[in-house]
Structure formats: C-alpha cells, structure tokens
Amino acid sequence: MKKVLPIVHVLGLVTMLFSLTMLAPLMVSWGLKDGAVSAYDESVAVTFISGLIAWAGTNRFKRELKIRDGFLLVVLIWSSLAAFATIPLLVQIPDLSFTDAYFETVSGLTTTGATVLSDLDKLPPSINFWRTELVWLGGMGLIVLAVAVLPLLGIGGRQLYKAETPGPMKDSQLTPRITETAKGLWLVYAAITLACILSLRAAGMTWLDAVMHAFSTMGLGGFSSHDASFGYFNSPSIEAVTIVFMLIAGINFATHFMVWRGKSFAPYRRDPEAGLFLGVTLTSVLGIALYLWQMGVYPDFLTALRFASFNTVSIATTTGFATTDFNQWPIFAPLWMLFLSSFASSSGSTGGGIKMIRAQLLYKQVYREMKKLLHPDGVVLTKLGGQVIPNKIIYAVLAFLFIYVASIVSMTLVLTASGLDVISSFSAVVACINNTGPGLNQVGPATTFAVLTDFQTWVCTFAMLLGRLELFTLLIVFTPAFWRK
C-alpha cells in the first residue's frame, strides 16, 4: 500500500489542477445566464477538496516516480478525472445515470466523441462547452499538461510522458528537457486552436459555436452542440475550414512543433507519416465520392464529393463529426471509413487507432519477411525515414497489433453475447477503441450510444480507455508482474 501513496499524492495535485478547468464553463454559464452556475460551483468545490485531501494526506510519502508508478498514475488520472467531470452533468441533467455520465466524460477526455445525450440544442450552453473542453484537454493529453506544470512544483514527470505519449517511438525527444517539450507541444496546440476558432467564426459560426467546435476539431473528438452535428450549419465554407483543421490535427504535433521552431516547412517533408496520411485520406475521399456518385446516392459528383470529403476525413482522423447519416450509404463506404480510422492518423496527433507509423512498419516487416524467403542468408533491414528500425520496435508493434485485434474480437463477442447485433457490436468496439465516435446500425451517426444497456456501456467505456491509453498502458496494471516486487 505504501508504494501507492506517492502516486496518490501526485493524483491529488492533478485533481486540484483539474478543478480549475471547470472555471471556464462556470464563466460561460455566468455570462450567458443559462441557469447552470450552481452545477459548476459544486463541481469545483468537490473536485478541489478531494484533490487537496489526497495531496495533503500523502505529503510525507512524495518521491520521484518510477516507471511502473507512471503507468498506474496515468490509468488513475484518466479514470478518476472522468469521474469528477461527471458532476456538472449529473447536477444539470437529473435523469442521467452515473454510467451514462461517466461514458460521456470518458468519451470526451479520450476524444472519442460518442455520446449518450440527445436534445443537445436544448442543453445549457455551458454544459456543451464543458463537453467540448474535455475533448480539447484530452486531445493533447492532461498528462502532458501535468508534465509541464508538475516539475515547477518539484515533481518530475518523465515517466508520465513516456506512458502517455502515443506511438511506438516513445524515447524520441524534441528538446533536452521534457518540461520544455510538453510546453512547446501545448503552445503549438493552443496556437492552432486559436487559428481554428478565428477561421470558423469567419466562415459563419457564432463565437460560442466556433470555440466549442474548434475544441472538438483540434482534439479530433467530434462532440457538437447540435444533434445534427455539422449538418446543422449546412455550410460548405464551414465544412471546408473544418476539413483543413482536422487534417492538421491528424499530423504529429511534434512535426508542427519543429516547423514552428525552425520556421521552415521542411519537417513536413521529412515526416514519414504526414505524406502518407494525407495521401491515403484524400485518395479515399475521391474513391468514396466516385463510388457514391456511381451508386446513385447523390445526383452529381460535386455533391458526392462534398459529403464524402467531410465525413471521410472526419472518420479517418477519428473525429466523428457528421453532415449526413452515412449509415444509410451502401455498406462499402462506411466500412471503408471505419477501416481508415484504424490506422490513418499519425502518431503524436490527437487521433486514435494503431497510427500510420505502425501500419508502415507492419507493411515493411511483411515485405522484409518475403525478401528473407527469397534470400535466406541475406541481411535485410527495415528502414523508415532513412533510419534503420531496431527489431525491438518491430516486435513491440507486432505485439501491439495482436492485442489490438484480440481486444476487438473479444469485446465484439461480449457485446454480441449480451444481445447487441453483430454489426452494431463490431462497429461500436472499433469506434470506441479507435476513439472515433459513431459506429453503424444501432450506434450510427443518426443515433446515440444511449440504446446500450449499462453492461454494454461499461464495455464500450473500457474500450475507449484502452484505445486512448494505447492498450499496454492500461492492460499492464492488470498483470501480476506489475504488482510483484
């Protein structure tokens, strides 16, 4: 028990910091007089006092965190902060159960964007603001934010950063100091978000809608303040702006950081993922547009291109916005979009799935094995971006893929056994573990996850956390070896 107390100490500090994030929706509620001010008063007080008790009560146990401490702390932060985030929803929406509220906040923090709520247009604006703020915070990762702040308070965060950073190459650093790296990433993230807000406002959104949808866009989360999502605006210019920023958010933010620091676009050319991500996504847009046009879904190619481009980019980048019920398209198109969501976005982006870099490494490993069959005594190396990839990274990627597929199969079987149809089960699991948002059939873009039973909701909640924490970070704390001395 004593070895957990230093982790609880840091968790308490992060919880106190998290309570401050509730001040933004409080100000929105106060400014718009939407009647939800008391919900945030209670939330800030309960969250801050809980964190203070945990932090002060374990003060004498504080120490520098070790590797396994980092994994446990990441899991505790994501699961516990989502619980505190439910308070405004539970206070303001009386009929909402804790299961559904927890699903909603986990969906926000993991940038999944799947929702159990309906009548979004009738909710107090500050509640929708809180939902989209969760997406924005989760986008770059609360942990990276904590890494930038905690060292200032005498608590190192390198192990947190390694456990949280997405992608297979966690040891790469942008600056010598991890704190400077985290600050740089957040600065770039905030600057691009500001550009997104201004662009959406110029395209015709109100200021409040522009802020909320920019939060969701940059977090690649997909929460909207309208039941019809982007279909509510029915604006090609707003859709065009959002497509551009979804694509930007789907590229590694470390690459954006290097572009900003070096004042040169050269890092985009050197990024082995960025070009392929854009190429695969835009080629898929054209292919799906042609398919929908040929199938007679839309009367002309330009209309098909408009709907295919927004919805395909949205799902491929794991955002989850929609301008139409693509569940009604011929099944090939939405299945291809779900397939894209599994690998298209870059590592270090705010997207989900296995990431483009792992897909590239898997392809190169398959090619390597075939060359070794032809030349058994030859030395065949796997290279990416001109660098030789060590075998330990290849093995890690293969293990990741096995767990990823096994998780999808096992959770699909569990949902199917619990009474959900196969298409809904499979698409719900894929949409949740990839942090995409809408699935197909009963959990399609025109419906919500409210149709699920409590058990099915908890399965999908676990899938969202599993995907956001890159599988191993969550699963490792359930192994006996993790708790062994």
Side-chain angles (χ1 to χ4, degrees):
M1 184 63 187
K2 281 187 177 179
K3 65 181 181 182
V4 177
L5 295 178
I7 301 171
V8 175
H9 180 69
V10 180
L11 179 63
L13 183 59
V14 174
T15 303
M16 283 193 286
L17 293 172
F18 182 68
S19 70
L20 302 180
T21 65
M22 298 175 180
L23 296 178
L26 172 62
M27 292 175 65
V28 170
S29 180
W30 180 78
L32 297 177
K33 296 181 173 50
D34 66 359
V37 169
S38 61
Y40 301 105
D41 287 343
E42 295 176 27
S43 304
V44 171
V46 170
T47 306
F48 185 84
I49 292 171
S50 300
L52 180 63
I53 292 172
W55 178 74
T58 54
N59 192 42
R60 65 192 177 95
F61 297 99
K62 73 176 180 182
R63 58 168 168 76
E64 178 69 21
L65 298 180
K66 299 175 182 176
I67 290 177
R68 64 178 64 197
D69 297 331
F71 286 115
L72 182 58
L73 181 56
V74 166
V75 172
L76 289 175
I77 285 176
W78 282 93
S79 53
S80 64
L81 294 192
F84 286 113
T86 63
I87 300 174
L89 302 182
L90 292 171
V91 171
Q92 199 59 37
I93 309 174
D95 296 334
L96 192 66
S97 68
F98 176 76
T99 296
D100 284 346
Y102 191 71
F103 176 92
E104 191 76 10
T105 54
V106 168
S107 178
L109 283 172
T110 59
T111 74
T112 304
T115 184
V116 292
L117 301 180
S118 54
D119 293 332
L120 297 176
D121 301 78
K122 298 176 183 176
L123 287 176
S126 62
I127 292 293
N128 281 322
F129 185 93
W130 177 232
R131 294 168 65 240
T132 55
E133 186 189 351
L134 289 175
V135 172
W136 191 74
L137 292 170
M140 185 54 72
L142 287 167
I143 314 304
V144 177
L145 177 64
V147 167
V149 175
L150 293 184
L152 301 176
L153 304 172
I155 301 169
R158 183 175 296 275
Q159 304 310 332
L160 280 179
Y161 182 79
K162 287 186 68 174
E164 166 63 12
T165 307
M169 299 182 187
K170 296 172 184 284
D171 291 328
S172 59
Q173 294 181 26
L174 304 176
T175 65
R177 292 175 61 82
I178 202 72
T179 309
E180 295 303 317
T181 298
K183 285 180 181 175
L185 290 174
W186 264 104
L187 183 63
V188 170
Y189 187 56
I192 300 177
T193 302
L194 178 61
C196 186
I197 292 171
L198 296 175
S199 300
L200 289 174
R201 176 72 181 104
M205 279 191 181
T206 64
W207 278 111
L208 186 59
D209 267 342
V211 171
M212 290 192 290
H213 288 86
F215 281 173
S216 269
T217 301
M218 293 313 300
L220 294 178
F223 273 167
S224 174
S225 53
H226 305 288
D227 287 320
S229 190
F230 268 68
Y232 170 85
F233 302 103
N234 190 26
S235 165
S237 55
I238 287 177
E239 292 165 22
V241 166
T242 308
I243 287 172
V244 169
F245 281 95
M246 285 192 291
L247 290 173
I248 291 173
I251 295 174
N252 194 331
F253 274 84
T255 304
H256 294 315
F257 175 78
M258 288 187 286
V259 168
W260 169 71
R261 190 175 59 178
K263 296 179 175 54
S264 165
F265 290 106
Y268 288 132
R269 291 197 301 272
R270 292 196 295 267
D271 186 337
E273 293 179 277
L276 199 56
F277 157 66
L278 294 174
V280 168
T281 304
L282 297 179
T283 302
S284 297
V285 165
L286 287 174
I288 290 175
L290 277 170
Y291 175 74
L292 295 176
W293 178 43
Q294 290 298 315
M295 294 296 290
V297 178
Y298 296 104
D300 57 84
F301 177 71
L302 286 181
T303 306
L305 183 62
R306 176 188 169 188
F307 286 100
S309 56
F310 185 89
N311 293 284
T312 303
V313 171
S314 173
I315 298 302
T317 56
T318 72
T319 310
F321 290 139
T323 55
T324 187
D325 183 9
F326 54 77
N327 193 39
Q328 302 302 317
W329 291 353
I331 191 65
F332 168 78
L335 275 182
W336 176 247
M337 289 157 61
L338 274 181
F339 176 63
L340 278 179
S341 74
S342 301
F343 70 91
S345 55
S346 304
S347 62
S349 72
T350 51
I354 67 170
K355 309 291 188 314
M356 181 59 79
I357 194 170
R358 288 196 180 94
Q360 287 176 279
L361 290 174
L362 288 168
Y363 166 76
K364 288 178 177 291
Q365 179 61 17
V366 170
Y367 186 67
R368 180 191 188 188
E369 290 299 321
M370 289 194 290
K371 286 188 73 174
K372 287 177 72 174
L373 286 174
L374 291 173
H375 307 286
D377 298 326
V379 178
V380 184
L381 301 175
T382 301
K383 292 184 177 180
L384 190 66
Q387 293 184 335
V388 176
I389 304 300
N391 281 334
K392 67 175 185 179
I393 290 182
I394 299 291
Y395 298 149
V397 171
L398 290 171
F400 184 93
L401 182 68
F402 173 76
I403 294 296
Y404 175 77
V405 173
S407 299
I408 290 176
V409 171
S410 57
M411 285 190 282
T412 298
L413 290 174
V414 168
L415 288 183
T416 304
S418 67
L420 200 62
D421 68 273
V422 174
I423 297 293
S424 298
S425 299
F426 172 73
S427 63
V429 171
V430 171
C432 287
I433 202 168
N434 289 336
N435 304 130
T436 304
L440 300 174
N441 268 17
Q442 296 185 57
V443 291
T447 59
T448 72
F449 279 66
V451 298
L452 303 182
T453 65
D454 281 358
F455 173 75
Q456 292 164 348
T457 302
W458 281 110
V459 172
C460 289
T461 303
F462 180 76
M464 289 190 288
L465 285 170
L466 196 61
R468 182 62 203 185
L469 299 183
E470 298 251 319
L471 309 183
F472 287 121
T473 306
L474 177 58
L475 293 177
I476 197 171
V477 301
F478 294 108
T479 61
F482 180 83
W483 298 99
R484 203 173 294 140
K485 285 186 179 179

